[in-house]
Amino acid sequence: MNKYWFYKVGLVVVFLCFALLGEAKVKLPTLVSDGMVLQRGEPVNIWGTADPDETVSITFQKKKYKTVADAQGNWKVILPALKAGGPYTMIINDIELKDILVGDVWVCSGQSNMELPVSRVTDRFRDEISADSDYPIVRYIKTPLLYNFHAPQTDIPGIFWKAMTPENVMSFSALVYFFTKDYFQKTKVPVGIINSSVGGSPVEAWISEEGLKPFPYYLNEKRIYESDDLVESMKKEESKKSRAWNVALYQGDKGMHETIPWYAAGYDDSDWTPTDLFASGWATNGLNTINGSHWFRKDFQVSGQQAGEKATLRLGCIVDADSVYVNGTFVGTVSYQYPPRIYTIPAGLLKVGKNTITIRLFSYGGFPHFVKEKPYKILFGKGQPEKGESEISLEGDWKYRLGAPMPAAPGQTAFHYKPVGLYNAMIAPLLNYTVSGVIWYQGESNVSRRNEYKDLLTAMIADWRQHWNRPDMPFYVIELADFLSPEDKGGRAAWAEFRKVQAEVANTNKNVTLIKNGDLGEWNDIHPLDKKTLGQRVSQAVFQQRVK
């Protein structure tokens, strides 16, 4: 019995030893991983965690480096300046990192025009993207949307480096795609991009608490949301209100509850009101806008050659959201205003002669409308308007009927837009990574507060430089593109004034370069498609500064 007892105790000791050995393994941040790009020409940080006082050994390019984890288990090794090249392998204790390149690394940040993916610019650049998107020497990380009001975070979970290949490119930022291609052609060195951007985000969300000290209003706003209980309760309450609004919309929408629903192929719409998509009368009661659901139907003729074919339905852009049916069959939906409506009509759905398209438009709280000077048509073949393929225009007369008039939808608090939150979660974890500099495309969300933008952006630039410990780190600030209808003189003037503020920031801060972009806008799209010219301009500016 005693022998058996000693045997069990011995097994426990062995298991504890193995457990302790397992816990002693080095842990790396997600940025330090397979496929990463290390900055050339500058000392490079490699860091992570381990048990306190554990020895960490790194082997890279046939050289060995050692350090010891501190009392909190943190460690860092600084590699000497490296020459461009690769791929290489790095060994960190028992971890092997593969396919490492050395080149130029850039942080790209801002809002939706920095996020806008390649898939959204295929109308204009489809052929180029199809033929020229295999650049495995370009690596890309897109950070997920995260925010934190408590403290700067040390890592970003779930990210990894992707090579620019035809399989991956559609999710890359369109601006990054064109910038890196052009930059690689100029330098022939690998390029790494860390894209940490969030659509609609204001500049104050990207500044640290320390950096916002001169702006007490924003610090006080941040303090409101430091309570996790408050944030969670607000989310639950707002979610309940939103569900109630949507239930009321559905219950009150006659088009969904009549014996024959309004989207059905055989529905009789002869008593509906004729209208043009771009008319405004249907959107108001004569004075105020009508939120809720609005229905539109249009008959169109299909030839024998077109019948049965797969086709592409283009419905421009719609404010705010829509669900679309063809011959009673649901073909697609978009939940907010900005994306282009590109829906597939499956083969066999279209028939010879009369066909019907039905749009159920949702308005949440603004002015519902169809955006002018966008494609509204059905395309056969590859669905490329510029190819002159067979098409059916959907402009002109439609029939209209109000579905469910509603009060404005309850608002949702965008917690990730609040001060400091994005900095703590999406910038702070990057600060150990050695980079060339920052490309910044943001401002649309601050136009209405343009009087304070110079000070805020200047503070952000100083803040990031301080935390990266690089006082002269290059910043490339992209000018806002032209936007808004020529009739909206006040709005256009505000955007023009904002561009002047951006120029002032570049003129009054060392090593800040303004990238011209005002001439590349589209009056009816806050996300202009020409990211190619812009990407080439950024590339040229960066290249010129490097060769000085």
Side-chain angles (χ1 to χ4, degrees), residues 312-394:
T312 299
L313 173 60
R314 300 297 305 267
L315 288 173
C317 290
I318 300 174
V319 180
D320 291 299
D322 58 276
S323 292
V324 179
Y325 306 81
V326 173
N327 291 337
T329 297
F330 175 76
V331 296
T333 184
V334 169
S335 62
Y336 65 110
Q337 69 182 73
Y338 294 116
R341 274 47 173 187
I342 306 175
Y343 301 132
T344 297
I345 301 177
L349 183 55
L350 297 177
K351 61 184 187 295
V352 178
K354 189 182 83 169
N355 294 258
T356 305
I357 179 172
T358 305
I359 301 170
R360 186 183 181 214
L361 181 152
F362 305 92
S363 175
Y364 300 133
F367 185 81
H369 65 279
F370 295 84
V371 177
K372 295 179 180 178
E373 297 183 23
K374 294 286 184 180
Y376 293 85
K377 59 182 67 177
I378 297 172
L379 296 159
F380 297 86
K382 294 183 179 180
Q384 301 178 49
E386 69 276 11
K387 297 300 181 183
E389 294 160 331
S390 173
E391 64 182 53
I392 298 171
S393 173
L394 295 176

Coordinates of all heavy atoms in Angstrom, one line a residue, residues 312-394:
T312 N -27.2 40.2 -63.7 CA -26.8 41.0 -62.5 C -27.7 42.2 -62.4 O -27.9 42.9 -63.4 CB -25.4 41.5 -62.7 OG1 -24.5 40.4 -62.7 CG2 -25.0 42.3 -61.5
L313 N -28.3 42.3 -61.2 CA -29.2 43.5 -61.0 C -28.5 44.6 -60.3 O -27.9 44.4 -59.2 CB -30.4 43.0 -60.1 CG -31.4 44.0 -59.6 CD1 -32.1 44.8 -60.7 CD2 -32.4 43.4 -58.7
R314 N -28.4 45.8 -60.9 CA -27.8 46.9 -60.3 C -28.8 47.9 -59.9 O -29.6 48.4 -60.7 CB -26.8 47.6 -61.3 CG -25.7 46.6 -61.8 CD -24.8 46.2 -60.7 NE -24.2 47.3 -59.9 CZ -23.1 47.9 -60.2 NH1 -22.3 47.4 -61.2 NH2 -22.6 48.9 -59.5
L315 N -28.8 48.3 -58.6 CA -29.8 49.2 -58.1 C -29.1 50.4 -57.4 O -29.5 50.9 -56.3 CB -30.8 48.6 -57.1 CG -31.8 47.6 -57.8 CD1 -32.7 46.9 -56.8 CD2 -32.7 48.4 -58.8
G316 N -28.0 50.9 -57.9 CA -27.3 52.1 -57.4 C -27.0 52.0 -56.0 O -26.5 51.0 -55.5
C317 N -27.4 53.0 -55.2 CA -27.3 53.1 -53.8 C -28.7 53.6 -53.3 O -29.3 54.4 -53.9 CB -26.2 54.0 -53.3 SG -24.5 53.3 -53.6
I318 N -29.1 53.1 -52.1 CA -30.4 53.3 -51.6 C -30.3 53.8 -50.2 O -29.6 53.1 -49.4 CB -31.3 52.1 -51.7 CG1 -31.5 51.7 -53.2 CG2 -32.7 52.4 -51.1 CD1 -32.2 50.4 -53.4
V319 N -31.0 54.8 -49.8 CA -31.0 55.3 -48.4 C -32.4 54.9 -47.8 O -33.4 55.4 -48.3 CB -30.8 56.8 -48.4 CG1 -30.8 57.3 -47.0 CG2 -29.5 57.2 -49.1
D320 N -32.5 54.0 -46.8 CA -31.3 53.5 -46.1 C -31.0 52.0 -46.4 O -29.9 51.7 -46.6 CB -31.6 53.5 -44.5 CG -31.6 54.9 -44.0 OD1 -30.6 55.6 -44.1 OD2 -32.7 55.3 -43.5
A321 N -32.0 51.2 -46.5 CA -31.9 49.8 -46.7 C -32.9 49.2 -47.6 O -33.9 49.9 -48.0 CB -31.9 49.1 -45.3
D322 N -32.8 48.0 -48.0 CA -33.7 47.4 -49.0 C -33.7 45.9 -49.0 O -32.7 45.3 -48.6 CB -33.4 47.9 -50.4 CG -31.9 47.5 -50.8 OD1 -31.0 48.2 -50.4 OD2 -31.8 46.5 -51.4
S323 N -34.8 45.4 -49.4 CA -34.9 44.0 -49.8 C -35.5 43.9 -51.2 O -36.5 44.7 -51.5 CB -35.8 43.2 -48.8 OG -35.2 43.1 -47.5
V324 N -35.0 43.0 -52.0 CA -35.4 43.1 -53.4 C -35.9 41.7 -53.9 O -35.3 40.7 -53.5 CB -34.2 43.6 -54.3 CG1 -34.5 43.6 -55.8 CG2 -33.7 45.0 -53.8
Y325 N -36.9 41.7 -54.7 CA -37.5 40.5 -55.3 C -37.6 40.6 -56.8 O -37.9 41.7 -57.3 CB -38.9 40.3 -54.7 CG -39.0 40.3 -53.2 CD1 -39.0 41.5 -52.5 CD2 -39.0 39.1 -52.5 CE1 -39.1 41.5 -51.1 CE2 -39.1 39.1 -51.1 CZ -39.1 40.3 -50.4 OH -39.2 40.3 -49.0
V326 N -37.4 39.5 -57.5 CA -37.6 39.4 -58.9 C -38.6 38.3 -59.2 O -38.3 37.1 -58.7 CB -36.3 39.2 -59.7 CG1 -36.6 39.0 -61.2 CG2 -35.4 40.4 -59.5
N327 N -39.7 38.6 -59.8 CA -40.8 37.6 -60.1 C -41.1 36.9 -58.8 O -41.3 35.7 -58.8 CB -40.3 36.7 -61.2 CG -40.2 37.3 -62.5 OD1 -40.9 38.4 -62.7 ND2 -39.5 36.8 -63.4
G328 N -41.2 37.6 -57.7 CA -41.6 37.0 -56.4 C -40.5 36.3 -55.6 O -40.8 35.9 -54.5
T329 N -39.3 36.2 -56.2 CA -38.2 35.5 -55.5 C -37.2 36.5 -54.9 O -36.8 37.4 -55.6 CB -37.5 34.6 -56.5 OG1 -38.4 33.6 -57.0 CG2 -36.3 33.9 -55.9
F330 N -36.9 36.3 -53.7 CA -36.0 37.2 -53.0 C -34.6 37.1 -53.6 O -34.1 35.9 -53.8 CB -35.9 36.9 -51.5 CG -34.9 37.6 -50.7 CD1 -35.1 38.9 -50.4 CD2 -33.7 37.0 -50.3 CE1 -34.2 39.6 -49.6 CE2 -32.8 37.7 -49.6 CZ -33.0 39.0 -49.2
V331 N -33.9 38.2 -54.0 CA -32.6 38.1 -54.6 C -31.5 38.8 -53.8 O -30.4 38.7 -54.1 CB -32.6 38.6 -56.0 CG1 -33.5 37.8 -56.9 CG2 -33.1 40.1 -56.1
G332 N -31.9 39.6 -52.8 CA -30.8 40.2 -52.0 C -31.3 41.4 -51.1 O -32.4 41.9 -51.2
T333 N -30.4 41.7 -50.2 CA -30.7 42.8 -49.2 C -29.5 43.5 -48.8 O -28.4 42.9 -48.8 CB -31.5 42.3 -48.0 OG1 -31.8 43.3 -47.1 CG2 -30.6 41.3 -47.2
V334 N -29.5 44.8 -48.5 CA -28.4 45.5 -47.9 C -29.0 46.3 -46.8 O -30.1 46.9 -46.9 CB -27.7 46.4 -48.9 CG1 -26.8 47.4 -48.3 CG2 -27.0 45.6 -50.0
S335 N -28.3 46.4 -45.6 CA -28.9 46.9 -44.4 C -28.5 48.4 -44.1 O -29.0 48.9 -43.2 CB -28.4 46.1 -43.2 OG -27.0 46.1 -43.1
Y336 N -27.7 49.0 -45.0 CA -27.4 50.4 -44.8 C -27.1 51.1 -46.1 O -27.0 50.4 -47.1 CB -26.2 50.6 -43.8 CG -24.9 50.1 -44.2 CD1 -23.9 51.0 -44.5 CD2 -24.6 48.7 -44.3 CE1 -22.6 50.5 -44.9 CE2 -23.3 48.3 -44.6 CZ -22.4 49.2 -44.9 OH -21.1 48.7 -45.3
Q337 N -26.9 52.4 -46.1 CA -27.0 53.1 -47.4 C -25.8 53.1 -48.3 O -26.0 53.2 -49.5 CB -27.3 54.6 -47.0 CG -26.1 55.3 -46.4 CD -26.5 56.8 -46.0 OE1 -27.3 57.0 -45.1 NE2 -26.0 57.7 -46.8
Y338 N -24.6 52.8 -47.8 CA -23.4 53.1 -48.6 C -23.1 52.1 -49.7 O -22.6 52.4 -50.8 CB -22.2 53.4 -47.7 CG -22.4 54.7 -46.9 CD1 -22.4 54.6 -45.6 CD2 -22.5 55.9 -47.6 CE1 -22.6 55.8 -44.8 CE2 -22.6 57.1 -46.8 CZ -22.7 57.0 -45.5 OH -22.8 58.2 -44.7
P339 N -23.2 50.8 -49.4 CA -22.8 49.8 -50.4 C -23.6 49.9 -51.7 O -24.8 50.1 -51.7 CB -23.0 48.4 -49.7 CG -23.0 48.8 -48.3 CD -23.6 50.1 -48.2
P340 N -22.9 49.6 -52.8 CA -23.7 49.5 -54.1 C -24.6 48.3 -54.1 O -24.2 47.3 -53.5 CB -22.6 49.4 -55.2 CG -21.4 48.9 -54.4 CD -21.5 49.5 -53.0
R341 N -25.8 48.4 -54.6 CA -26.7 47.3 -54.7 C -26.3 46.5 -55.9 O -26.7 46.9 -57.0 CB -28.1 47.7 -54.7 CG -28.7 48.0 -53.3 CD -28.0 48.8 -52.4 NE -28.7 49.1 -51.2 CZ -28.4 49.9 -50.2 NH1 -27.2 50.5 -50.3 NH2 -29.1 50.1 -49.2
I342 N -25.7 45.3 -55.7 CA -25.4 44.4 -56.8 C -25.9 43.0 -56.5 O -25.3 42.3 -55.6 CB -23.8 44.4 -57.0 CG1 -23.3 45.8 -57.2 CG2 -23.5 43.5 -58.2 CD1 -21.8 45.8 -57.3
Y343 N -27.0 42.7 -57.1 CA -27.7 41.4 -56.8 C -27.6 40.5 -58.0 O -27.8 40.9 -59.1 CB -29.1 41.6 -56.3 CG -29.3 42.6 -55.1 CD1 -30.2 43.6 -55.1 CD2 -28.5 42.4 -54.0 CE1 -30.3 44.5 -54.0 CE2 -28.6 43.2 -52.9 CZ -29.5 44.2 -52.9 OH -29.7 45.1 -51.8
T344 N -27.5 39.2 -57.7 CA -27.5 38.2 -58.7 C -28.9 37.6 -59.0 O -29.6 37.3 -58.0 CB -26.6 37.0 -58.4 OG1 -25.3 37.5 -58.3 CG2 -26.7 35.9 -59.4
I345 N -29.4 37.7 -60.2 CA -30.6 37.0 -60.6 C -30.3 35.7 -61.1 O -29.6 35.5 -62.2 CB -31.4 37.8 -61.7 CG1 -31.7 39.3 -61.2 CG2 -32.6 37.1 -62.1 CD1 -32.3 40.1 -62.3
P346 N -30.6 34.6 -60.4 CA -30.2 33.3 -60.8 C -30.8 32.8 -62.1 O -31.8 33.3 -62.6 CB -30.7 32.4 -59.7 CG -31.8 33.2 -59.0 CD -31.5 34.6 -59.2
A347 N -30.0 31.9 -62.8 CA -30.5 31.4 -64.1 C -31.8 30.7 -63.9 O -32.1 30.0 -62.9 CB -29.4 30.4 -64.6
G348 N -32.7 30.9 -64.8 CA -34.0 30.3 -64.8 C -35.1 31.2 -64.2 O -36.3 30.8 -64.3
L349 N -34.8 32.3 -63.5 CA -35.8 33.1 -62.9 C -36.5 34.0 -63.9 O -37.7 34.3 -63.8 CB -35.1 33.9 -61.8 CG -36.1 34.8 -60.9 CD1 -37.2 33.9 -60.3 CD2 -35.3 35.5 -59.8
L350 N -35.7 34.6 -64.8 CA -36.3 35.5 -65.8 C -37.0 34.6 -66.9 O -36.5 33.6 -67.4 CB -35.2 36.4 -66.4 CG -34.6 37.3 -65.4 CD1 -33.5 38.1 -66.2 CD2 -35.6 38.3 -64.8
K351 N -38.2 35.1 -67.4 CA -38.9 34.4 -68.4 C -39.2 35.3 -69.6 O -39.1 36.6 -69.5 CB -40.2 33.9 -67.8 CG -41.2 35.0 -67.3 CD -42.4 34.4 -66.7 CE -43.4 35.5 -66.3 NZ -43.0 36.4 -65.3
V352 N -39.5 34.8 -70.7 CA -39.8 35.6 -71.9 C -41.0 36.5 -71.6 O -42.0 36.0 -71.1 CB -40.1 34.7 -73.1 CG1 -40.4 35.5 -74.3 CG2 -38.9 33.8 -73.4
G353 N -40.9 37.7 -72.0 CA -42.1 38.6 -71.9 C -42.0 39.4 -70.6 O -40.9 39.9 -70.2
K354 N -43.1 39.6 -69.9 CA -43.2 40.5 -68.7 C -42.6 39.8 -67.5 O -42.9 38.7 -67.2 CB -44.6 40.9 -68.4 CG -44.7 42.0 -67.4 CD -46.2 42.4 -67.1 CE -46.8 41.4 -66.1 NZ -48.1 41.9 -65.5
N355 N -41.7 40.6 -66.8 CA -41.1 40.2 -65.5 C -41.3 41.4 -64.6 O -41.6 42.5 -65.0 CB -39.7 39.9 -65.7 CG -39.4 38.7 -66.5 OD1 -39.1 37.6 -66.0 ND2 -39.5 38.8 -67.8
T356 N -41.2 41.2 -63.3 CA -41.4 42.2 -62.3 C -40.3 42.2 -61.3 O -39.9 41.2 -60.8 CB -42.8 42.0 -61.6 OG1 -43.8 41.9 -62.6 CG2 -43.1 43.2 -60.7
I357 N -39.9 43.4 -61.0 CA -39.0 43.6 -59.8 C -39.7 44.4 -58.8 O -40.4 45.4 -59.1 CB -37.7 44.4 -60.3 CG1 -36.7 44.6 -59.1 CG2 -38.0 45.7 -61.0 CD1 -35.4 45.1 -59.5
T358 N -39.5 44.1 -57.5 CA -40.1 44.7 -56.4 C -39.0 45.1 -55.4 O -38.2 44.3 -55.0 CB -41.1 43.8 -55.7 OG1 -42.1 43.3 -56.6 CG2 -41.8 44.6 -54.5
I359 N -39.1 46.4 -54.9 CA -38.1 46.9 -53.9 C -38.9 47.3 -52.7 O -39.9 48.1 -52.8 CB -37.3 48.1 -54.4 CG1 -36.6 47.8 -55.7 CG2 -36.4 48.6 -53.3 CD1 -36.0 49.0 -56.4
R360 N -38.5 46.7 -51.6 CA -39.0 47.1 -50.3 C -38.0 48.0 -49.6 O -36.9 47.5 -49.2 CB -39.4 45.9 -49.4 CG -40.1 46.3 -48.1 CD -40.3 45.1 -47.3 NE -41.0 45.4 -46.0 CZ -40.8 44.7 -44.9 NH1 -39.9 43.7 -44.8 NH2 -41.5 45.1 -43.8
L361 N -38.2 49.3 -49.6 CA -37.2 50.2 -49.1 C -37.5 50.5 -47.6 O -38.6 50.8 -47.3 CB -37.1 51.5 -49.9 CG -36.2 52.6 -49.6 CD1 -35.8 53.4 -50.8 CD2 -36.7 53.6 -48.5
F362 N -36.4 50.6 -46.8 CA -36.6 50.9 -45.4 C -35.9 52.2 -45.1 O -34.7 52.4 -45.5 CB -35.9 49.8 -44.5 CG -36.4 48.4 -44.8 CD1 -35.7 47.6 -45.7 CD2 -37.5 47.9 -44.1 CE1 -36.2 46.3 -46.0 CE2 -38.0 46.6 -44.4 CZ -37.3 45.8 -45.3
S363 N -36.6 53.1 -44.4 CA -36.0 54.4 -44.0 C -36.1 54.4 -42.5 O -37.1 54.3 -41.8 CB -36.9 55.6 -44.6 OG -36.4 56.8 -44.1
Y364 N -34.9 54.7 -41.9 CA -34.8 54.6 -40.4 C -34.9 56.0 -39.7 O -35.3 56.0 -38.6 CB -33.4 54.0 -40.0 CG -33.2 52.6 -40.6 CD1 -32.0 52.3 -41.2 CD2 -34.2 51.7 -40.4 CE1 -31.8 51.0 -41.7 CE2 -34.0 50.4 -40.9 CZ -32.8 50.0 -41.5 OH -32.6 48.8 -42.0
G365 N -34.6 57.0 -40.4 CA -34.7 58.3 -39.7 C -34.2 59.5 -40.5 O -34.3 60.6 -40.0
G366 N -33.8 59.3 -41.7 CA -33.3 60.4 -42.6 C -34.3 60.6 -43.7 O -35.5 60.5 -43.6
F367 N -33.7 61.0 -44.9 CA -34.6 61.3 -46.0 C -34.4 60.1 -47.0 O -33.4 59.9 -47.6 CB -34.1 62.6 -46.7 CG -35.0 63.0 -47.9 CD1 -36.2 63.6 -47.6 CD2 -34.7 62.7 -49.2 CE1 -37.1 64.0 -48.7 CE2 -35.5 63.0 -50.2 CZ -36.7 63.7 -50.0
P368 N -35.4 59.3 -47.1 CA -35.3 58.1 -48.0 C -35.2 58.5 -49.5 O -36.0 59.3 -49.9 CB -36.6 57.3 -47.7 CG -37.6 58.3 -47.3 CD -36.8 59.3 -46.5
H369 N -34.3 57.9 -50.2 CA -34.2 58.2 -51.6 C -33.2 57.2 -52.3 O -32.5 56.4 -51.7 CB -33.6 59.6 -51.8 CG -32.2 59.8 -51.3 ND1 -32.0 60.1 -50.0 CD2 -31.0 59.9 -52.0 CE1 -30.7 60.3 -49.8 NE2 -30.1 60.1 -51.0
F370 N -33.3 57.2 -53.7 CA -32.4 56.5 -54.5 C -31.4 57.5 -55.0 O -31.7 58.6 -55.5 CB -33.2 55.9 -55.7 CG -34.2 54.8 -55.3 CD1 -35.5 55.2 -54.9 CD2 -33.9 53.5 -55.4 CE1 -36.4 54.2 -54.6 CE2 -34.8 52.5 -55.0 CZ -36.1 52.9 -54.6
V371 N -30.1 57.1 -54.9 CA -29.0 58.0 -55.2 C -28.9 58.2 -56.7 O -28.9 57.2 -57.4 CB -27.7 57.5 -54.6 CG1 -26.5 58.4 -55.0 CG2 -27.8 57.4 -53.1
K372 N -28.9 59.4 -57.2 CA -28.8 59.7 -58.6 C -27.5 59.4 -59.2 O -26.5 59.3 -58.5 CB -29.2 61.2 -58.9 CG -30.6 61.6 -58.5 CD -30.8 63.0 -58.8 CE -32.2 63.5 -58.4 NZ -32.4 64.9 -58.6
E373 N -27.5 59.2 -60.5 CA -26.2 59.0 -61.3 C -25.5 57.8 -60.9 O -24.3 57.7 -60.8 CB -25.4 60.2 -61.3 CG -26.0 61.5 -61.9 CD -25.1 62.7 -61.9 OE1 -23.9 62.5 -61.9 OE2 -25.6 63.8 -62.0
K374 N -26.3 56.7 -60.5 CA -25.7 55.4 -60.3 C -26.4 54.4 -61.2 O -27.5 54.8 -61.8 CB -26.0 55.0 -58.8 CG -25.3 55.8 -57.8 CD -23.8 55.5 -57.7 CE -23.1 56.2 -56.6 NZ -21.6 55.9 -56.6
P375 N -25.9 53.3 -61.4 CA -26.5 52.3 -62.4 C -27.7 51.7 -61.8 O -27.7 51.1 -60.7 CB -25.4 51.3 -62.6 CG -24.5 51.3 -61.4 CD -24.5 52.8 -61.0
Y376 N -28.8 51.8 -62.6 CA -30.1 51.1 -62.2 C -30.5 50.3 -63.5 O -31.1 50.8 -64.4 CB -31.2 52.1 -61.9 CG -30.9 52.8 -60.6 CD1 -30.1 54.0 -60.6 CD2 -31.4 52.4 -59.3 CE1 -29.8 54.6 -59.4 CE2 -31.1 53.0 -58.2 CZ -30.3 54.1 -58.2 OH -30.0 54.8 -57.0
K377 N -30.1 49.0 -63.5 CA -30.2 48.2 -64.7 C -30.0 46.8 -64.4 O -29.5 46.4 -63.4 CB -29.2 48.7 -65.8 CG -27.8 48.6 -65.4 CD -26.8 49.1 -66.4 CE -26.9 50.6 -66.6 NZ -25.9 51.1 -67.6
I378 N -30.4 46.0 -65.4 CA -30.1 44.5 -65.4 C -29.1 44.2 -66.4 O -29.3 44.6 -67.6 CB -31.4 43.7 -65.6 CG1 -32.4 43.9 -64.4 CG2 -31.1 42.2 -65.6 CD1 -33.8 43.3 -64.7
L379 N -28.0 43.6 -66.1 CA -26.9 43.3 -67.0 C -26.8 41.8 -67.3 O -26.9 41.0 -66.3 CB -25.6 43.8 -66.4 CG -25.5 45.3 -66.3 CD1 -24.5 45.7 -65.3 CD2 -25.3 46.0 -67.6
F380 N -26.6 41.4 -68.5 CA -26.4 40.0 -68.9 C -25.0 39.8 -69.2 O -24.3 40.8 -69.6 CB -27.4 39.7 -70.0 CG -28.8 39.8 -69.7 CD1 -29.5 41.0 -69.8 CD2 -29.5 38.7 -69.2 CE1 -30.8 41.1 -69.4 CE2 -30.8 38.8 -68.8 CZ -31.5 40.0 -69.0
G381 N -24.5 38.6 -69.2 CA -23.1 38.4 -69.4 C -22.4 38.4 -68.1 O -22.8 37.9 -67.1
K382 N -21.3 39.2 -68.1 CA -20.4 39.3 -66.8 C -20.9 40.4 -65.9 O -20.3 40.7 -64.9 CB -19.0 39.5 -67.2 CG -18.4 38.3 -67.9 CD -16.9 38.5 -68.2 CE -16.3 37.3 -68.9 NZ -14.8 37.5 -69.2
G383 N -21.9 41.2 -66.3 CA -22.4 42.2 -65.5 C -21.5 43.4 -65.3 O -21.5 44.0 -64.3
Q384 N -20.8 43.7 -66.4 CA -19.8 44.8 -66.4 C -20.4 46.0 -67.3 O -20.4 45.8 -68.5 CB -18.5 44.4 -66.8 CG -17.8 43.3 -66.0 CD -16.5 42.9 -66.5 OE1 -15.6 43.7 -66.8 NE2 -16.3 41.6 -66.7
P385 N -20.8 47.1 -66.7 CA -21.4 48.1 -67.5 C -20.5 48.7 -68.5 O -21.0 49.0 -69.6 CB -21.7 49.2 -66.4 CG -21.8 48.5 -65.1 CD -20.8 47.4 -65.2
E386 N -19.2 48.7 -68.2 CA -18.3 49.3 -69.2 C -18.1 48.4 -70.4 O -17.5 48.9 -71.4 CB -17.0 49.6 -68.5 CG -16.1 48.4 -68.1 CD -16.6 47.8 -66.8 OE1 -17.6 48.2 -66.3 OE2 -15.8 46.9 -66.3
K387 N -18.5 47.2 -70.4 CA -18.3 46.3 -71.5 C -19.4 46.4 -72.6 O -19.3 45.8 -73.6 CB -18.3 44.8 -71.0 CG -17.1 44.6 -70.0 CD -15.8 44.8 -70.6 CE -14.7 44.5 -69.7 NZ -13.3 44.8 -70.2
G388 N -20.4 47.2 -72.3 CA -21.5 47.4 -73.3 C -22.3 46.1 -73.6 O -22.7 45.9 -74.7
E389 N -22.4 45.2 -72.6 CA -23.1 44.0 -72.8 C -24.6 44.3 -72.8 O -25.1 45.4 -72.5 CB -22.7 43.0 -71.7 CG -21.3 42.6 -71.8 CD -20.8 42.0 -70.4 OE1 -21.3 42.4 -69.4 OE2 -19.9 41.2 -70.5
S390 N -25.4 43.2 -73.1 CA -26.8 43.3 -73.1 C -27.4 43.8 -71.8 O -27.0 43.3 -70.7 CB -27.4 42.0 -73.5 OG -28.8 42.0 -73.3
E391 N -28.3 44.8 -71.8 CA -28.8 45.3 -70.5 C -30.2 45.8 -70.7 O -30.6 46.1 -71.8 CB -27.9 46.5 -70.0 CG -27.8 47.7 -70.9 CD -26.9 48.8 -70.4 OE1 -25.7 48.4 -70.1 OE2 -27.3 49.9 -70.2
I392 N -30.9 45.9 -69.5 CA -32.2 46.5 -69.5 C -32.2 47.6 -68.5 O -31.9 47.4 -67.3 CB -33.2 45.4 -69.0 CG1 -33.3 44.2 -70.0 CG2 -34.6 46.0 -68.9 CD1 -34.1 43.0 -69.6
S393 N -32.6 48.8 -68.9 CA -32.6 49.9 -68.0 C -33.8 49.8 -67.1 O -34.9 49.4 -67.5 CB -32.7 51.2 -68.8 OG -32.9 52.3 -68.0
L394 N -33.6 50.2 -65.8 CA -34.7 50.2 -64.8 C -35.0 51.7 -64.4 O -35.8 51.8 -63.5 CB -34.3 49.4 -63.6 CG -34.0 47.9 -63.9 CD1 -33.5 47.2 -62.6 CD2 -35.3 47.3 -64.4

